[in-house]
């Protein structure tokens, strides 16, 4: 092919791609030009009232929850990775997924989805907005088979389908939520009402919540990799026949904030009356790390240094005191395995718990007193339960409050031989607690200083 023909081919190629990615110079070779990057236009999206058809929230937009926002039966709310959704403080914005509705909030470690306050950086605080509520059709143990979710929303939860699917919540942070409508009727950071095991809950952090960080009202949903960070009331609250399986949970307390109802790490009831209603509250937890409000050694401290009353919150939540790493009461049959608890007034308080409650292969360290009463002590020290105690929290967590500074030889020896753990859901790791000191599953997506994050 002669030189002129080559130039003709090049010229034709240039004309054909004039508006594409190729340009031509004076020589024979085409020059590649990258097209301009067109950024998606940012829009202000206000969510209020009902979402009755499928909708997608985009990471490029400014998304605001105003008042109670309901995703109704048959509708799916999809949220892109990296999206920020702000709850309006003045209206206590809240997102409620009703029975038959779905949320697909699937972030990534690099692009987590964030629910947070609409207040500016450094001005956010406990209970700025409501929270995220999932209502499903799984089993609950009240006689009606359903109940209205607490905290003010209209929505009911409960049904007969343990496999019910309310969607996906994965790589999600929930910050500054939790609003007390009235005493014992609060919206939590993340509330589950009758949620089924078809739902995916993984890698979720609830921070600076004005009530419980996580609460389950019945249901069968399972979960892994949860973080309750410096909440107001309890870290993980279970009741009304919750039967899920959970592994790799972290809780960290702030000694300056507790609830008037007395804050615990675990709080568990079969129901408010301690009835024999079935199914019993029988969740199975394994590999939990709960770091309480006190570091080092607490035994020997004056009672006033342990049971002080914290200040009230700006949103009306009443301050209180701390109580126990685990308060299992009112006929609950909670199961806890392979876990570590540090720095609480009491380690274990069994208050009319069901005889089926299990605390096994667990470590207490740095408690003021390991047990609230003699019955709790007698149970915990049963030889075949293999429970241990240490004087100082630093015996198992070397640096105060730093969950990654695990003293590895003190937390080895996890066991999954019990029938409750003989399930493919549980990863058969060798260590007790949520971390092995080498791998940090919270790295990259969790945020421990959201008040100083620009959103």
């Amino acid at each position: 092919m002669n030189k002129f023909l080559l130039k003709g081919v090049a010229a034709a190629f240039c004309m054909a791609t004039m508006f594409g990615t190729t340009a031509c110079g004076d020589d024979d070779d085409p020059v590649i030009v990258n097209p301009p990057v067109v950024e998606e236009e940012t829009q202000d999206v206000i969510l209020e009232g009902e979402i009755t058809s499928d909708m997608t929230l985009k990471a490029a937009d400014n998304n605001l929850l105003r008042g109670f926002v309901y995703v109704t039966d048959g509708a799916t709310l999809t949220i892109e990775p990296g999206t920020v959704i702000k709850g309006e403080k003045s209206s206590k914005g809240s997102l409620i997924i009703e029975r038959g509705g779905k949320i697909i909030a699937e972030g990534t470690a690099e692009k987590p989805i964030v629910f947070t306050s609409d207040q500016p950086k450094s001005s956010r605080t406990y209970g700025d907005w409501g929270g995220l509520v999932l209502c499903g059709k799984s089993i609950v143990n009240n006689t009606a088979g359903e109940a209205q979710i607490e905290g003010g929303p209209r929505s009911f939860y409960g049904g007969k389908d343990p496999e019910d699917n309310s969607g996906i919540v994965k790589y999600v942070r929930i910050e500054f939520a939790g609003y007390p409508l009235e005493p014992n009727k609060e919206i939590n950071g993340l509330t589950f009402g009758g949620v089924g095991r078809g739902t995916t809950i993984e890698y979720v952090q609830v921070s600076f919540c004005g009530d419980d960080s996580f609460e389950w009202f019945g249901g069968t949903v399972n979960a892994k990799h949860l973080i309750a960070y410096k909440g107001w009331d309890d870290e993980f609250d279970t009741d009304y026949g919750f039967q899920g399986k959970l592994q790799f949970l972290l809780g960290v307390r702030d000694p300056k904030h507790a609830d008037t109802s007395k804050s615990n790490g675990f709080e568990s009831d079969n129901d408010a009356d301690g009835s024999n209603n079935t199914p019993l509250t029988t969740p199975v937890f394994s590999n939990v790390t709960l770091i309480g409000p006190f570091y080092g050694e607490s035994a020997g401290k004056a009672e006033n240094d342990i049971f002080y009353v914290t200040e009230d919150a700006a949103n009306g939540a009443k301050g209180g005191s701390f109580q126990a790493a685990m308060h299992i009461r009112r006929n609950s049959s909670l199961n806890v395995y392979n876990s570590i608890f540090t720095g609480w007034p009491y380690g274990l308080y069994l208050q009319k718990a069901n005889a089926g409650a299990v605390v096994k292969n667990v470590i207490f360290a740095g408690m003021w007193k390991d047990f609230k009463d003699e019955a709790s002590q007698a149970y915990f020290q049963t030889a075949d339960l293999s429970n241990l105690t240490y004087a100082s929290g630093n015996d198992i967590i070397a640096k105060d409050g730093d969950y990654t500074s695990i003293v590895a030889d003190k937390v080895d020896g996890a066991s999954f031989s019990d029938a409750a753990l003989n399930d493919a859901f549980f990863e058969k790791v060798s260590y007790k607690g949520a971390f092995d000191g080498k791998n940090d599953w919270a790295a990259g997506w969790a945020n421990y200083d959201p008040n100083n994050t620009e959103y």
Side-chain angles (χ1 to χ4, degrees):
M1 187 179 289
N2 63 39
K3 184 175 181 180
F4 294 103
L5 182 55
L6 284 170
K7 287 189 174 181
V9 171
F13 182 75
C14 292
M15 292 179 67
T17 60
M18 185 175 297
F19 300 102
T21 60
T22 305
C24 298
D26 293 333
D27 56 12
D28 297 341
D29 298 323
V31 178
I32 305 300
V33 178
N34 292 322
V37 176
V38 179
E39 294 187 3
E40 191 171 356
E41 182 180 353
T42 297
Q43 299 183 29
D44 294 328
V45 178
I46 298 176
L47 304 172
E48 55 186 340
E50 295 182 335
I51 297 173
T52 58
S53 59
D54 293 354
M55 180 179 185
T56 297
L57 298 182
K58 297 181 178 297
D61 292 340
N62 299 316
N63 302 288
L64 183 72
L65 295 169
R66 176 168 290 166
F68 290 151
V69 180
Y70 299 96
V71 178
T72 62
D73 186 3
T76 297
L77 177 64
T78 301
I79 305 175
E80 290 183 347
T83 300
V84 176
I85 305 99
K86 296 180 179 179
E88 187 175 59
K89 183 173 183 177
S90 61
S91 65
K92 299 302 175 187
S94 305
L95 181 61
I96 302 100
I97 313 303
E98 298 198 295
R99 288 184 293 192
K102 285 188 178 181
I103 180 172
I104 306 298
E106 189 168 7
T108 67
E110 297 75 23
K111 294 182 177 180
I113 293 165
V114 181
F115 290 85
T116 193
S117 167
D118 71 339
Q119 297 302 288
K121 175 181 174 181
S122 77
S123 298
R124 306 165 191 140
T125 191
Y126 291 86
D128 272 350
W129 61 289
L132 175 59
V133 180
L134 306 184
C135 295
K137 301 177 182 178
S138 188
I139 301 165
V140 299
N141 69 5
N142 69 331
T143 54
E146 66 173 9
Q148 186 172 6
I149 202 71
E150 73 171 29
R154 71 187 186 188
S155 309
F156 280 73
Y157 64 91
K160 299 180 179 180
D161 183 5
E163 306 297 329
D164 187 45
N165 184 354
S166 295
I168 300 171
V169 180
K170 185 173 183 178
Y171 286 112
V172 170
R173 299 202 307 260
I174 301 170
E175 304 164 352
F176 308 106
Y179 181 72
L181 178 73
E182 57 185 80
N184 299 315
K185 291 186 178 181
E186 305 92 353
I187 295 180
N188 306 290
L190 179 52
T191 303
F192 303 89
V195 178
R197 66 174 67 99
T199 309
T200 298
I201 307 293
E202 297 180 1
Y203 299 100
V204 181
Q205 179 184 23
V206 177
S207 302
F208 302 100
C209 178
D211 191 53
D212 298 332
S213 294
F214 296 85
E215 183 163 9
W216 291 264
F217 295 92
T220 49
V221 65
N222 303 322
K224 282 185 177 178
H225 302 108
L226 306 183
I227 303 173
Y229 189 70
K230 296 190 175 182
W232 191 269
D233 195 2
D234 308 315
E235 266 71 79
F236 304 105
D237 193 341
T238 54
D239 39 41
Y240 291 100
F242 176 51
Q243 302 172 75
K245 302 177 181 70
L246 305 100
Q247 189 177 25
F248 306 123
L249 280 68
L250 170 67
V252 180
R253 292 302 309 205
D254 185 334
K256 299 187 295 294
H257 299 293
D259 188 68
T260 185
S261 65
K262 297 183 180 178
S263 295
N264 304 286
F266 282 130
E267 183 175 272
S268 188
D269 311 320
N270 193 46
D271 58 20
D273 300 320
S275 77
N276 290 313
N277 288 354
T278 58
L280 291 173
T281 297
T282 317
V284 181
F285 290 85
S286 184
N287 298 97
V288 179
T289 296
L290 290 189
I291 300 173
F294 310 121
Y295 301 135
E297 291 191 30
S298 297
K301 290 184 178 179
E303 190 168 330
N304 289 342
D305 293 332
I306 299 296
F307 295 105
Y308 56 86
V309 176
T310 62
E311 294 183 358
D312 295 346
N315 70 353
K318 297 298 182 183
S321 57
F322 296 99
Q323 183 172 240
M326 288 185 280
H327 188 192
I328 307 174
R329 61 182 187 177
R330 295 175 180 167
N331 207 32
S332 169
S333 190
L334 182 85
N335 285 214
V336 183
Y337 296 87
N338 303 319
S339 297
I340 61 177
F341 302 84
T342 70
W344 291 83
Y346 301 108
L348 180 63
Y349 183 16
L350 296 174
Q351 186 182 27
K352 297 182 179 179
N354 186 276
V358 176
V359 177
K360 188 171 184 179
N361 225 20
V362 162
I363 300 173
F364 288 163
M367 305 297 180
W368 185 62
K369 294 183 179 180
D370 290 317
F371 318 106
K372 179 70 166 63
D373 54 26
E374 292 182 358
S376 300
Q377 179 177 1
Y379 172 79
F380 188 88
Q381 293 179 339
T382 302
D384 62 1
L385 295 178
S386 302
N387 296 317
L388 298 171
T389 61
Y390 291 97
S392 172
N394 300 123
D395 287 329
I396 58 173
I397 298 178
K399 299 177 183 178
D400 289 349
D402 180 359
Y403 64 85
T404 66
S405 63
I406 293 297
V407 181
D409 63 336
K410 296 288 182 66
V411 300
D412 62 3
S415 173
F416 293 84
S417 60
D418 273 27
L421 299 174
N422 187 20
D423 186 290
F425 171 83
F426 291 104
E427 297 179 35
K428 309 307 190 285
V429 298
S430 62
Y431 55 91
K432 303 169 189 175
F435 300 91
D436 62 0
K438 300 175 183 177
N439 303 296
D440 181 4
W441 49 259
W445 65 274
N447 184 355
Y448 303 109
D449 189 19
N451 198 24
N452 290 303
T453 301
E454 196 73 59
Y455 291 120

